[in-house]
Amino acid sequence: MKFMAQATVEHFYIGLKILNQLVAEMNQASPGLSLTHHRKISCSFRDLALFQTFQISLTSLSQLKSDAADERLREQAISLALKCLSFDFVGSSMDESSEDVGTIQIPSSWRPLLEDPSTMQMFFDYYACTKPPLSNEALECLVRLASVRRSLFSGESERLKFLSQMMRGTREILQTQQGLSEHENYHEYCRLLGRLKTNYQLSELVTAENYADWIRLVAEFTIKSLQSWQWASGSVYYLLSLWARLITSVPYLKNDSPSLLDGYVPQITEAFITSRFDSVQALLQDNSGEDPLDKAELLEDQLESLPYLCRFQYEKTSSYMISLLDPILQAYTEAARLPVNPENTSVQFMEGQLTWLVHVIGAIIRGKHSTSSAELQEAIDGELTARVFQLVQVTDTGSHIQRCSERSKQRLDFAILSFFQNFRRVYVGDQAIHSSKQLYTRLMELAGLQDHMMVLNVIVSKIATDLKCYTRCEEVIDQALNLFQELATGYMSGKLLLKLDAVNYILGHHTSEYFPFLDEYSSSRNRTTFYTTIGRLLFMEDSPSKFKASIAPLQQVFLNVEGIPDAAFRSDGVKFALIGLMRDLRGLTMATNSRRTFGLLFEWLYPAHTPLLVRATSHWVDTPEVTNPLLKFMAEFVINKTQRLTFDSSSPNGILLFREVSKILVAYGNGIMALPIPAADIYVYRYKGIWNALSILTRALAGNYVNFGVFELYGDRALVDALDVTLKISLAIPLADIMAYRKLARAFFAFIEVLCHNHITVILNLDTATFAHILGSLESGLKYLDVSISSQCASAVDNLAAYYFNNITTGEAPSSPPTINLSRRIAECPTIFPEILKSLFEIVLFEDCANQWSLSRPMLSLILINEQIFSDIKVQIIGTQPLDQRQRLAGCFDKLMADVTRTLESKNRDKFTQNLTMFRHDFHAK
């Protein structure tokens, strides 16, 4: 190929661009095609054209290495090569933009080309002669090559040659530092190094040529990267992962070649810690940069690999850490005795250093399960852990307690809480209480903590202190509440908590007077978590008197709000009191998981306080900040999880509860329908409340604790009114909006499913237009991407179709009003059932449906209603297929109904489902 004329260059450029677009389209699902159909086309392209396309890219690259080459051609050529190597070879839907590249399943026909050394060298050469973004794309191609499946190669020697060439190329880049001053190249190069150990064993690396020089250069590069914390923070993860994987392979290294890791790993660990200290100092001098401690995901990624590095030579690493930690801890203790001085940054510097060390120690403790559990390592865990507990005793004393508004103190407290979470999971869990003798021996010697009870008391005291001191730092509040909840959730740790003075203090003083964060509107969501934990602790003991004493503050809130006259009920004080109260009640309700615990809550609220809920709904219906927490509380209150809503056979409580539910729904539904439709943010001001209301009624109808026949028998309109108003507000929402908001769609279709299953007469008594609208909505729901919604719609359709089949198709002439209504509705809308059945066939045949079992149920019911419908759909579907396939497909349809009788018994349904599975497989067979 020659570059003599501009026209030739243009033609060459256009050709490469077309190939780029073609490979991209073959690798991405088209909106108009089903995944199955797309996969067929993609596999065909892979088998017939992808290899030749990759060869074109390599040929182009070989002729575009000169400096005089057109930059646009270079860009298209390297992009084409990368797209070919990134192709989804096995249909795993690999994300090309993902940072984590899995093993690439390149076809065996590519073997000669990839085993040819010139192929890999092409990308190394291209990297050397270009700049970003072309050079980093060359490195991306090398990352893909390093990820090629091991079984592709002809044998062991060929794979080792491939590895040796890869290591030689990466070593030369380190020696020359070619292109590493460019950040894009730097990042991709780190990914390349990380992939080498992912796809190759340490035993293969150590036998490669010049391994000693390679590992030395990689270690030096890693240390330099750690020291360049501002520039390379996002790339360090891959380097630390590389070293972690190397370390985990050391026990399996059987050959005589040394790994040389003993000399380098401690240096890297020390470099990580000292570089983090450097970042603290640099940011204190110039706070314009972003602190690595504030990058939560990046911090977590880096800490993930540290346990492997630190525990590799644990005695040496721990000694180094203790030598750093002890003088800082001593100085920090002395600083607590001094008055607060905002101009003195030494305390902030110490807090920054301590924060990093606590994070590292927490990561080491968390990594205990994945490393050795020898007694020596547990004793060292005790050495490091004792220092953290010593620090806890200092952080909230003297002048330090006054520094909660300082960001450095907030970061330190967050790190301590994170450490406690890791420590709890390893050394306080139900399985660890009797297996941590070495650690507790060292804790007793160094920190005076001799057992789990003393440790838990320190942890809970710290939680309580943080919740007292922090009012607006959501990061620390969230972490403290999550830790408190985890402690209360464990059966053994939860039982232990009840013996602690700190816990009993919280249970007796859970108001904003003691925990000011409860008064902050921004923390109102945290109230639910807080009271869920309090509820779990309260309900662990069968003590109604303790429950009554603990809820006294909430009882007082009820009494205060109930005593406010209607004229003053719309005040901000009432508003915020209601918001907090509803969130607190929801938290307590979430903690009830038995008949006993729910009974305590129910007897407290009904009948004394439920009228306030109806009153609040009526007065604040236009304020979602109030109604949404209230409705969410009710949705939690009426759900019969773990059969907690089980009343005595002589108890009317189930009926009484539903009557209160009905009052709230009627008040909300009538109120919201009377309001004008908001011009903006309709989800917040209307739809969110509606889906909560739908959830309330759905859960109440499906809870199996109410005999709904009682309402009609005694002329009570509670059920009728609740159903009427809920149908009214749900049907007032355009179907497009229902489908646009997933939570709304889930609530709407769950409600329709419950009606079709338990209250089908409600659907059958609707007018024709409304009935058709609901069935049209169900047809749309069947096509929804959310499998749970699709399955709900399938169940609803099956209930309707089965009712029609059992009462009209196989029954006598319709006589009951519901049966007459259904017969009339279907006669007036004769295309409804055929359209739904056709949609079901299209989903099963042409989509990747994960709920085929659920979809098969309504399919059989609809087929049996009118087999002519099935025959017509069969003709339509076969008519869309190629002529040479139609006879075969007709046979597939005939087999679908083989051995299927005209009944809806379970055995017959299962047979149809089996036939449908074979039908789908045979339909797509070539």
Side-chain angles (χ1 to χ4, degrees):
M1 190 178 296
K2 301 190 181 290
F3 301 92
M4 298 179 61
Q6 185 63 34
T8 305
V9 171
E10 285 300 319
H11 292 156
F12 188 25
Y13 170 77
I14 292 172
L16 289 175
K17 189 173 183 179
I18 291 172
L19 287 175
N20 263 291
Q21 293 174 344
L22 179 61
V23 177
E25 290 177 4
M26 290 296 105
N27 207 29
Q28 296 176 358
S30 302
L33 294 176
S34 68
L35 291 176
T36 303
H37 192 191
H38 167 77
R39 192 63 215 150
K40 274 190 170 184
I41 298 173
S42 178
C43 290
S44 179
F45 177 79
R46 176 200 64 194
D47 297 339
L48 300 176
L50 187 60
F51 180 59
Q52 290 82 350
T53 305
F54 183 56
Q55 287 179 311
I56 291 172
S57 70
L58 294 180
T59 304
S60 303
L61 287 172
S62 66
Q63 299 182 17
L64 292 168
K65 288 192 293 185
S66 66
D67 294 337
D70 189 297
E71 194 73 8
R72 295 183 308 154
L73 296 178
R74 282 181 165 185
E75 180 182 342
Q76 293 296 325
I78 191 65
S79 177
L80 181 59
L82 180 58
K83 284 185 174 66
C84 291
L85 290 172
S86 304
F87 198 82
D88 188 4
F89 292 97
V90 292
S92 58
S93 299
M94 182 180 66
D95 183 3
E96 292 181 39
S97 64
S98 174
E99 290 286 296
D100 187 18
V101 180
T103 301
I104 296 179
Q105 304 292 332
I106 286 181
S108 299
S109 57
W110 293 39
R111 179 183 294 128
L113 186 62
L114 293 186
E115 288 183 349
D116 185 347
S118 64
T119 301
M120 185 190 302
Q121 192 59 44
M122 175 76 66
F123 295 110
F124 277 116
D125 293 344
Y126 200 76
Y127 165 76
C129 70
T130 57
K131 294 182 178 180
L134 305 184
S135 54
N136 63 279
E137 286 191 353
L139 285 176
E140 282 193 69
C141 291
L142 289 166
V143 170
R144 263 62 180 182
L145 289 179
S147 308
V148 169
R149 61 185 174 94
R150 295 167 59 87
S151 57
L152 174 72
F153 298 94
S154 304
E156 188 78 15
S157 61
E158 285 76 12
R159 187 171 69 250
L160 292 179
K161 287 178 183 177
F162 188 86
L163 173 61
S164 296
Q165 184 182 6
M166 184 69 73
M167 292 176 65
R168 184 166 59 251
T170 54
R171 178 169 59 90
E172 289 173 359
I173 292 175
L174 288 176
Q175 289 173 332
T176 62
Q177 294 293 299
Q178 173 75 41
L180 294 181
S181 59
E182 301 284 353
H183 190 271
E184 296 91 337
N185 291 344
Y186 196 96
H187 183 73
E188 284 302 326
Y189 183 76
C190 291
R191 290 183 67 203
L192 177 58
L193 290 178
R195 282 307 303 177
L196 287 179
K197 177 58 190 77
T198 304
N199 215 31
Y200 292 91
Q201 302 300 324
L202 178 60
S203 57
E204 296 172 323
L205 294 172
V206 298
T207 56
E209 183 183 358
N210 294 318
Y211 167 77
D213 196 27
W214 180 82
I215 197 71
R216 175 184 62 80
L217 290 169
V218 172
E220 293 173 355
F221 177 70
T222 303
I223 293 171
K224 182 180 177 181
S225 298
L226 291 169
Q227 293 168 346
S228 306
W229 58 271
Q230 286 176 306
W231 193 71
S233 59
S235 309
V236 164
Y237 162 75
Y238 300 102
L239 298 175
L240 294 177
S241 297
L242 166 65
W243 289 99
R245 291 186 177 111
L246 290 171
I247 290 165
T248 54
S249 298
V250 169
Y252 309 103
L253 189 62
K254 297 180 181 180
N255 53 35
D256 297 331
S257 303
S259 68
L260 306 178
L261 299 181
D262 293 358
Y264 297 124
V265 172
Q267 295 179 33
I268 292 169
T269 306
E270 293 177 14
F272 179 87
I273 296 172
T274 54
S275 65
R276 305 307 108 168
F277 282 11
D278 293 342
S279 72
V280 175
Q281 184 67 50
L283 288 167
L284 281 174
Q285 296 171 355
D286 178 14
N287 61 4
S288 60
E290 187 176 3
D291 196 313
L293 288 167
D294 293 333
K295 300 177 180 178
E297 292 185 8
L298 196 61
L299 176 64
E300 186 63 27
D301 286 342
Q302 294 179 4
L303 293 176
E304 183 182 340
S305 300
L306 272 186
Y308 302 97
L309 278 71
C310 294
R311 289 184 181 272
F312 183 59
Q313 291 192 345
Y314 201 12
E315 290 183 79
K316 185 174 182 179
T317 301
S318 62
S319 297
Y320 172 73
M321 292 179 66
I322 291 171
S323 69
L324 292 174
L325 187 52
D326 282 349
I328 300 172
L329 185 55
Q330 182 179 356
Y332 192 63
T333 304
E334 294 171 356
R337 305 187 186 101
L338 302 176
V340 176
N341 182 3
E343 297 181 1
N344 185 1
T345 60
S346 61
V347 175
Q348 296 178 41
F349 180 52
M350 286 187 285
E351 286 175 339
Q353 292 176 310
L354 290 169
T355 299
W356 276 110
L357 288 170
V358 172
H359 273 306
V360 171
I361 294 172
I364 293 172
I365 297 300
R366 181 179 61 192
K368 175 179 183 292
H369 289 310
S370 56
T371 56
S372 172
S373 57
E375 291 185 356
L376 175 60
Q377 295 229 345
E378 192 173 289
I380 298 175
D381 285 354
E383 294 270 355
L384 295 174
T385 298
R387 266 75 180 181
V388 179
F389 280 101
Q390 291 171 5
L391 171 63
V392 172
Q393 297 170 7
V394 177
T395 53
D396 299 320
T397 60
S399 59
H400 293 329
I401 197 68
Q402 305 171 35
R403 303 188 64 258
C404 291
S405 60
E406 295 286 341
R407 190 71 186 103
S408 58
K409 176 68 161 58
Q410 294 171 1
R411 294 190 187 106
L412 177 57
D413 282 331
F414 180 84
I416 290 172
L417 293 169
S418 298
F419 163 80
F420 283 152
Q421 281 188 322
N422 293 324
F423 182 83
R424 182 204 68 81
R425 290 165 186 163
V426 177
Y427 287 114
V428 185
D430 298 347
Q431 301 298 321
I433 286 182
H434 304 294
S435 60
S436 318
K437 294 181 180 179
Q438 289 295 323
L439 177 126
Y440 280 94
T441 299
R442 297 302 293 150
L443 278 182
M444 178 59 190
E445 295 170 357
L446 297 173
L449 303 173
Q450 63 183 10
D451 57 23
H452 292 82
M453 294 301 297
M454 297 185 72
V455 167
L456 280 172
N457 201 54
V458 172
I459 294 175
V460 176
S461 298
K462 177 60 178 170
I463 291 171
T465 301
D466 287 346
L467 293 178
K468 284 181 184 178
C469 296
Y470 289 101
T471 57
R472 297 184 178 179
C473 183
E474 289 192 40
E475 181 184 46
V476 175
I477 293 171
D478 287 347
Q479 192 78 342
L481 290 173
N482 289 335
L483 174 59
F484 192 28
Q485 190 174 39
E486 286 183 12
L487 288 170
T489 301
Y491 177 77
M492 186 66 72
S493 58
K495 288 287 187 181
L496 292 174
L497 287 182
L498 293 174
K499 300 177 182 180
L500 302 178
D501 293 338
V503 168
N504 289 314
Y505 175 84
I506 294 174
L507 293 180
H509 303 84
H510 49 82
T511 63
S512 59
E513 180 183 353
Y514 301 95
F515 299 104
F517 82 92
L518 294 171
D519 269 344
E520 289 294 321
Y521 182 71
S522 60
S523 295
S524 60
R525 291 177 180 272
N526 289 321
R527 298 180 69 131
T528 302
T529 305
F530 183 56
Y531 275 93
T532 300
T533 307
I534 287 177
R536 283 202 175 106
L537 293 171
L538 281 175
F539 295 139
M540 279 183 182
E541 294 182 327
D542 187 3
S543 176
S545 59
K546 189 173 183 179
F547 172 76
K548 190 174 292 185
S550 293
I551 63 169
L554 300 181
Q555 171 76 0
Q556 190 58 50
V557 176
F558 264 120
L559 295 176
N560 292 342
V561 176
E562 288 167 349
I564 296 173
D566 287 349
F569 205 72
R570 291 278 297 184
S571 65
D572 284 345
V574 173
K575 173 181 176 180
F576 291 117
L578 286 171
I579 293 171
L581 182 61
M582 292 305 112
R583 292 193 183 279
D584 299 346
L585 291 175
R586 184 181 175 214
L588 284 176
T589 308
M590 291 171 71
T592 63
N593 56 9
S594 68
R595 178 181 176 182
R596 174 185 65 83
T597 56
F598 185 84
L600 290 172
L601 192 63
F602 181 81
E603 290 170 6
W604 169 47
L605 293 177
Y606 182 85
H609 302 304
T610 48
L612 177 63
L613 304 180
V614 181
R615 184 183 175 200
T617 305
S618 301
H619 282 76
W620 292 94
V621 70
D622 61 339
T623 309
E625 296 96 320
V626 177
T627 54
N628 284 337
L630 190 155
L631 294 171
K632 282 188 174 182
F633 156 62
M634 283 305 300
E636 180 63 34
F637 192 63
V638 301
I639 188 172
N640 193 14
K641 61 183 181 183
T642 64
Q643 296 300 305
R644 63 184 184 180
L645 272 77
T646 303
F647 302 107
D648 292 335
S649 58
S650 60
S651 171
N653 285 344
I655 296 170
L656 296 174
L657 173 59
F658 186 82
R659 291 178 69 181
E660 298 304 316
V661 167
S662 177
K663 293 175 186 177
I664 292 172
L665 291 175
V666 170
Y668 179 77
N670 290 336
I672 203 71
M673 291 300 290
L675 295 174
I677 297 176
D681 214 351
I682 193 171
Y683 178 78
V684 170
Y685 284 94
R686 201 175 185 91
Y687 293 165
K688 189 172 184 180
I690 290 176
W691 74 251
N692 279 315
L694 289 172
S695 296
I696 292 171
L697 186 55
T698 299
R699 292 173 175 184
L701 292 175
N704 200 29
Y705 53 84
V706 183
N707 184 345
F708 289 103
V710 170
F711 294 106
E712 183 178 359
L713 182 64
Y714 291 100
D716 190 328
R717 289 192 56 82
L719 176 61
V720 173
D721 290 344
L723 290 170
D724 284 349
V725 76
T726 310
L727 275 170
K728 185 195 298 183
I729 60 175
S730 60
L731 295 176
I733 305 174
L735 180 59
D737 287 358
I738 291 176
M739 306 304 286
Y741 298 103
R742 179 168 293 188
K743 288 185 178 180
L744 178 60
R746 284 179 177 172
F748 174 77
F749 288 115
F751 173 58
I752 298 299
E753 181 194 10
V754 167
L755 289 184
C756 291
H757 188 267
N758 297 335
H759 300 273
I760 196 169
T761 55
V762 175
I763 300 292
L764 302 184
N765 290 334
L766 295 171
D767 61 80
T768 303
T770 306
F771 179 82
H773 173 77
I774 288 179
L775 264 70
S777 301
L778 291 174
E779 183 182 359
S780 298
L782 289 169
K783 303 172 184 176
Y784 205 85
L785 293 177
D786 189 317
V787 173
S788 63
I789 291 176
S790 175
S791 298
Q792 287 172 344
C793 294
S795 175
V797 171
D798 183 43
N799 283 315
L800 283 169
Y803 186 91
Y804 188 97
F805 176 78
N806 291 325
N807 292 278
I808 298 175
T809 304
T810 61
E812 299 177 357
S815 56
S816 65
T819 306
I820 294 171
N821 286 339
L822 179 57
S823 178
R824 185 177 300 152
R825 302 292 174 262
I826 296 303
E828 293 171 349
C829 306
T831 62
I832 286 182
F833 281 163
E835 288 174 354
I836 293 177
L837 181 58
K838 183 180 180 183
S839 295
L840 286 167
F841 267 108
E842 289 173 347
I843 294 169
V844 169
L845 291 178
F846 304 119
E847 300 290 341
D848 286 343
C849 59
N851 58 337
Q852 185 174 308
W853 185 92
S854 299
L855 298 181
S856 71
R857 286 359 221 184
M859 290 180 73
L860 178 61
S861 302
L862 291 168
I863 289 172
L864 295 182
I865 284 174
N866 188 342
E867 295 190 22
Q868 184 59 45
I869 296 175
F870 172 58
S871 300
D872 294 343
I873 291 174
K874 177 173 73 171
V875 172
Q876 292 176 30
I877 293 176
I878 292 175
T880 64
Q881 303 302 306
L883 288 172
D884 60 341
Q885 297 291 322
R886 292 182 181 179
Q887 186 174 355
R888 181 183 65 82
L889 298 179
C892 294
F893 271 100
D894 293 338
K895 293 179 183 178
L896 177 60
M897 300 303 293
D899 299 324
V900 175
T901 60
R902 287 185 55 78
T903 69
L904 290 177
E905 296 175 358
S906 296
K907 185 176 181 180
N908 196 49
R909 285 179 178 272
D910 291 340
K911 179 58 180 176
F912 178 79
T913 301
Q914 294 173 9
N915 287 358
L916 184 64
T917 302
M918 294 302 299
F919 168 70
R920 187 172 186 270
H921 177 269
D922 294 343
F923 189 90
H924 292 289
K926 293 183 179 180

